[in-house]
Amino acid sequence: MPLPQGFREWLAKESQLWQEQGIIQPGQRDQILSRYPEEEGGIGRMAFVLRTFGVLLLGAALLLVIGHNWDDLSRTGRLLTVIAGLCGLQGVGLWYLHRDSRQGSVLGALAGCIMFGAAIALTGQIYHLDAHQPDAFLAWCIGSLPFAILLDSSLLYVGSLLLACCWLGAETTHSFGSSWHGLTSDPRPLFFLLIAPAAVAAYRRFRPLLAGAVAWSLVFAWISREDLSAQYMMLPLIIASLHAVGDARARGWRFIGGVGATIATIAIGEIRDPMTSHLFRTDSLACWLILGGAAGALGLAIRSRQFLRIWPAGIALTILLIGLGYELAGKGHDLFQVLMIATGNVATLILSVWLIRLGLTEGRLRPYVYGSLVFLTWLIVRYVDISKDLGMLTMAGFFALLGVILFVLARVWKTQREAYQPEVSPDYRPAWLESAIAFVTPHRRSLLWTAVVLQVATIGWMVWHHQQPGDSGERIVLRCRPVDPRDLLKGEYVILRYDFSNATEAQHRALLAEFKSLHPGPKDSGSGEAQLWNLPADSTVFVPLTRTPEGTVTAGDPTLTRPSQGLYLQGLTRYTELRFGIEAYYVKEGDGKKWEDLARKGELAAEIGVLPDGRAGLVSLKAVPKVVRTTIDFRTLEGFSLAANRAQPKSVKFASNRTQSLVISDARTFAQDFQPAPLNGQNAIAPDFTKEVVLSYALTEKFGEMWVNFVTVEHVGPLLIATVKTHYDKPKTPGSIQQAAIIVRRAGIETVEFREPSGQLIHREAVK
């Protein structure tokens, strides 16, 4: 096995001493050195780096050539081009492997894996896929990992780490605003499995740079919708404590762990407003595993009798135990909160001292500087925390103190270095792992061919799965809702939105209630506003469809229960957005503006293929005649207001927690919900409900200066569309719940829709 130049020189010197001391025989030294030759350095490494950039540039050139001719190819031609490119590039890598050229096989596999990612994207473009985008990164990462493992290439391992981080970042951002419940929907356990092969490779052979890349990848595990993921911030510090003093592979873990621990401890130790949310999630198995890992790391550090290993494990375990205590028993207890603040501050100071001593022990400046910076950061943050009542002279003294501290630290570094610890970097080669590698190595070529076949099969499955709606699905036409032109055209695809793309708050509340009835659990706590967004991301949702005489379809209210009959769409939830995989249509270069103009005019429709199970696929875009809307007259309801004792009328259909949308079609309901409020001494005259209906829209709470009014009322067949505008300025009637109510003729009206001026649906209600 080739060794790095520095390590090979160390082995040569040490083996010479072994020979002189009689530990080994002269011939044995030569055998050892021949078994571990020196890695190609200098020119060889530079050539490999240049070839790597060459592969990336050639791959980019190939993709640009494909993109230039993409519009001229049929769907079959596009698919054949994608698969041929994937097989060709992977075949080059396998050909180099057959010739025992390691660099050629690695670079060929790199090009092939890049093409695999491009094939996923291009296949998605062919079928206009836009459902759950993080899945593309996940498939790309999983499909590329076998090549990194079988070729044991640091370059390919780094590529897999980048893909895993991209997937976790996209998945976390995609799921923002939805609750995660333990391992069922937290993506981080799967992320740890994706980066595990790179971590094993970094320790099986001495690869400090790869170990550092694995450590940096854990930064993405800190991303969360929670206020503070302290348990994941402590994980690198726990791993750092497992390394012997002097192990170069620990440096990345120490740096990332130091950053995470500094952030967590300073936030926890804030005096005025400590960060106390989710220090430890008792409902997550991963957090309990991290706690157990911290305890185990502390035990191993104590057994090693290396005190510089005990410190980081002790810091991590202490913070996790404080978080656990707060979650289980400390909430609402002032004494426990004081203890937590004190522990956070002490932990920050211990962290800085540990890094300073580590730098002195290893004779390295960076840990010493990091520890000094941690201390200065803590000092500055704590000063800002309590400086509101201090004057300029105190501030001047504080800055002078900082200057003196810097001089003292410089003096300590110059004169007080501790006994130097030699670099210790043992390989991690357990018998079971070496046995598995020895078993796999003779079959490496066949396994790589299998990996290529699996990549091609993945593309084939995508083609088969997404071809079905267009080939055998029932064809429907959906009108596209006008959207902001700045967002409609993005790259070379058109963003499509429909009336049912965004659930109203009333619909979202109904979905949440349905979810709770289907998944009963502990009684919820907190306000209704906080509970509103607790519907997990990517919950399966169904939207029933009804055909109209014009040939298009209209959508009903979304539900989590699959309809037993009729036509419907099957999709996924994300916040208040509903996605069905029909939200993006890729067009020829330069054609986007045409479709954009049609959408803005309300003349754009999408032809969709829908399978009996609700899966849908885009077939084409088409121009359709604009829906003729007839503007009708309406008059303001005068002399009446919402009854004071009926602030939330039973007949009201809530559009949200802040607004009420109401359609009143009978005198009894009107009398329940409204009370006379004579204007200028004139008696209030109730509407004639045999010929008229009342539309009411009200703000249930005051948020600053706001008021509402009806802008237009339009008639489309049996549908009445009322456009309501909210004004964010001084209300016309200060001190009251802002409400607008109008009277319209009821002839031919079956359904009323309340919409915003942008066209966004607020609420839909049938006229009784």
Side-chain angles (χ1 to χ4, degrees):
M1 180 187 71
L3 295 178
Q5 180 180 2
F7 197 65
R8 179 62 163 66
E9 292 176 355
W10 173 87
L11 180 61
K13 293 178 181 179
E14 290 296 316
S15 60
Q16 180 65 35
L17 293 176
W18 300 340
Q19 178 179 321
E20 294 174 356
Q21 296 173 2
I23 298 176
I24 60 175
Q25 300 300 319
Q28 291 177 330
R29 177 177 183 271
D30 295 335
Q31 291 177 0
I32 293 174
L33 294 178
S34 63
R35 180 176 177 82
Y36 299 99
E38 184 178 319
E39 278 186 346
E40 295 182 6
I43 297 175
R45 291 181 180 176
M46 180 58 68
F48 181 70
V49 171
L50 293 176
R51 289 170 183 164
T52 301
F53 281 110
V55 167
L56 297 176
L57 292 174
L58 289 174
L62 176 62
L63 294 178
L64 289 174
V65 170
I66 294 175
H68 177 74
N69 298 283
W70 194 249
D71 293 335
D72 299 328
L73 299 175
S74 63
R75 173 175 288 185
T76 302
R78 294 177 180 181
L79 292 173
L80 291 176
T81 300
V82 168
I83 295 175
L86 175 60
C87 294
L89 291 175
Q90 292 289 21
V92 170
L94 292 172
W95 179 73
Y96 274 109
L97 180 65
H98 182 73
R99 295 185 58 190
D100 294 325
S101 173
R102 174 172 173 76
Q103 287 192 4
S105 60
V106 169
L107 294 177
L110 174 63
C113 290
I114 292 174
M115 187 63 202
F116 175 57
I120 294 175
L122 292 173
T123 305
Q125 180 179 348
I126 292 172
Y127 291 98
H128 314 291
L129 305 182
D130 186 37
H132 190 69
Q133 297 177 357
D135 287 347
F137 285 110
L138 180 59
W140 191 1
C141 181
I142 293 175
S144 302
L145 263 178
F147 295 89
I149 297 172
L150 293 170
L151 294 175
D152 195 23
S153 166
S154 297
L155 177 63
L156 297 180
Y157 277 124
V158 170
S160 69
L161 290 175
L162 290 174
L163 292 176
C165 292
C166 289
W167 168 73
L168 181 63
E171 188 71 56
T172 306
T173 304
H174 186 88
S175 301
F176 185 84
S178 299
S179 294
W180 287 347
H181 303 282
L183 292 178
T184 57
S185 50
D186 188 343
R188 285 172 290 201
L190 177 56
F191 170 72
F192 296 147
L193 291 177
L194 293 176
I195 67 175
V200 172
Y203 287 89
R204 181 177 175 268
R205 291 171 54 189
F206 181 72
R207 299 175 180 176
L209 293 179
L210 183 57
V214 176
W216 274 100
S217 67
L218 282 192
V219 173
F220 284 82
W222 300 353
I223 304 172
S224 171
R225 68 180 287 268
E226 316 300 348
D227 297 324
L228 181 65
S229 297
Q231 64 277 1
Y232 290 103
M233 288 183 170
M234 295 300 163
L235 185 57
L237 201 62
I238 297 170
I239 298 174
S241 69
L242 298 174
H243 296 76
V245 176
D247 192 338
R249 290 168 297 193
R251 294 170 185 173
W253 298 107
R254 291 168 183 166
F255 179 79
I256 301 302
V259 171
T262 302
I263 295 173
T265 55
I266 286 180
I268 293 169
E270 188 173 353
I271 296 174
R272 294 184 181 274
D273 187 20
M275 184 71 72
T276 57
S277 300
H278 304 294
L279 299 179
F280 189 90
R281 293 187 60 85
T282 56
D283 61 345
S284 172
L285 177 59
C287 295
W288 287 100
L289 292 175
I290 293 174
L291 179 63
L298 180 60
L300 292 174
I302 294 174
R303 290 181 58 187
S304 71
R305 297 187 178 181
Q306 291 185 331
F307 292 102
L308 291 180
R309 290 179 55 185
I310 297 175
W311 291 33
I315 293 171
L317 183 60
T318 300
I319 295 301
L320 291 176
L321 289 176
I322 285 291
L324 175 61
Y326 182 80
E327 289 293 325
L328 295 179
K331 291 183 177 180
H333 293 76
D334 294 337
L335 180 60
F336 195 93
Q337 188 167 357
V338 171
L339 175 63
M340 184 182 62
I341 293 172
T343 304
N345 285 285
V346 172
T348 309
L349 292 175
I350 294 176
L351 179 68
S352 66
V353 173
W354 167 63
L355 289 171
I356 290 174
R357 286 200 59 187
L358 184 67
L360 294 173
T361 301
E362 293 186 345
R364 297 178 57 244
L365 181 61
R366 288 184 180 179
Y368 186 85
V369 172
Y370 297 156
S372 304
L373 290 177
V374 169
F375 176 72
L376 292 176
T377 301
W378 171 82
L379 200 59
I380 293 172
V381 172
R382 291 290 81 88
Y383 174 78
V384 172
D385 201 15
I386 62 175
S387 64
K388 293 184 178 180
D389 300 326
L390 302 179
M392 292 186 179
L393 290 178
T394 305
M395 185 176 295
F398 174 74
F399 286 129
L401 176 62
L402 291 182
V404 171
I405 290 173
L406 290 176
F407 278 106
V408 171
L409 290 172
R411 180 66 177 176
V412 171
W413 170 254
K414 184 177 180 181
T415 61
Q416 300 296 323
R417 294 190 185 183
E418 299 184 5
Y420 175 72
Q421 295 287 335
E423 188 173 280
V424 179
S425 303
D427 288 342
Y428 175 73
R429 297 194 174 198
W432 65 267
L433 180 60
E434 295 304 308
S435 299
I437 293 175
F439 175 79
V440 169
T441 300
H443 309 286
R444 185 171 59 171
R445 293 179 183 176
S446 58
L447 290 174
L448 284 171
W449 275 110
T450 303
V452 175
V453 171
L454 289 177
Q455 285 188 346
V456 175
T458 300
I459 303 302
W461 179 87
M462 290 180 63
V463 172
W464 173 81
H465 184 75
H466 297 291
Q467 184 83 16
Q468 293 182 72
D471 287 349
S472 56
E474 183 176 350
R475 298 293 178 90
I476 63 173
V477 177
L478 291 172
R479 284 190 175 272
C480 300
R481 181 169 61 82
V483 297
D484 190 336
R486 293 171 297 178
D487 295 331
L488 183 63
L489 182 61
K490 186 177 183 181
E492 290 302 322
Y493 65 90
V494 178
I495 298 175
L496 304 177
R497 291 291 181 267
Y498 311 92
D499 280 340
F500 51 84
S501 292
N502 289 90
T504 64
E505 288 195 30
Q507 291 173 338
H508 199 96
R509 288 179 182 276
L511 287 174
L512 179 58
E514 187 178 4
F515 179 83
K516 290 179 179 178
S517 66
L518 295 174
H519 304 86
K523 185 177 180 181
D524 293 319
S525 60
S527 64
E529 175 71 10
Q531 298 174 29
L532 178 60
W533 315 119
N534 285 342
L535 187 68
D538 294 334
S539 298
T540 303
V541 66
F542 305 93
V543 173
L545 302 175
T546 304
R547 292 188 180 273
T548 65
E550 294 81 11
T552 59
V553 296
T554 58
D557 290 330
T559 176
L560 301 179
T561 305
R562 186 185 297 272
S564 58
Q565 60 183 0
L567 193 64
Y568 61 89
L569 293 175
Q570 175 180 327
L572 300 172
T573 62
R574 177 177 179 256
Y575 206 27
T576 58
E577 181 183 354
L578 308 180
R579 298 166 292 110
F580 302 90
I582 53 175
E583 286 77 29
Y585 191 88
Y586 292 85
V587 297
K588 292 180 63 175
E589 185 176 357
D591 283 358
K593 188 64 168 57
K594 176 184 68 175
W595 300 112
E596 175 186 320
D597 292 339
L598 288 173
R600 189 166 52 248
K601 297 175 183 177
E603 299 177 0
L604 180 65
E607 186 178 8
I608 312 293
V610 183
L611 294 174
D613 63 359
R615 285 189 292 127
L618 277 167
V619 178
S620 65
L621 296 181
K622 59 175 60 179
V624 294
K626 185 175 182 179
V627 175
V628 178
R629 294 185 178 183
T630 304
T631 302
I632 64 174
D633 295 329
F634 61 89
R635 70 178 191 274
T636 302
L637 175 65
E638 296 180 347
F640 292 90
S641 63
L642 282 175
N645 60 342
R646 307 284 292 183
Q648 296 180 353
K650 294 181 180 180
S651 58
V652 169
K653 304 298 183 182
F654 289 90
S656 74
N657 65 313
R658 298 182 179 183
T659 62
Q660 298 173 354
S661 300
L662 176 63
V663 178
I664 301 177
S665 56
D666 62 89
R668 180 180 178 182
T669 303
F670 181 79
Q672 289 177 344
D673 297 336
F674 285 84
Q675 65 182 4
L679 182 64
N680 298 327
Q682 298 181 0
N683 293 329
I685 301 176
D688 182 1
F689 287 102
T690 62
K691 301 178 182 179
E692 299 170 323
V693 294
V694 173
L695 309 182
S696 174
Y697 188 83
L699 301 177
T700 59
E701 299 180 31
K702 289 188 62 179
F703 294 89
E705 297 182 341
M706 298 171 59
W707 58 283
V708 295
N709 75 308
F710 284 86
V711 180
T712 59
V713 178
E714 298 171 306
H715 210 286
V716 184
L719 175 66
L720 190 71
I721 301 175
T723 302
V724 187
K725 184 176 182 180
T726 301
H727 301 266
Y728 298 91
D729 55 18
K730 188 174 181 180
K732 292 185 175 180
T733 310
S736 64
I737 295 177
Q738 298 307 302
Q739 175 216 4
I742 60 173
I743 303 172
V744 297
R745 295 184 60 83
R746 69 182 304 162
I749 299 176
E750 297 179 3
T751 307
V752 176
E753 289 184 351
F754 294 83
R755 291 181 176 267
E756 297 176 353
S758 63
Q760 173 66 43
L761 178 65
I762 301 173
H763 176 64
R764 181 189 295 114
E765 184 177 350
V767 178
K768 299 178 182 179

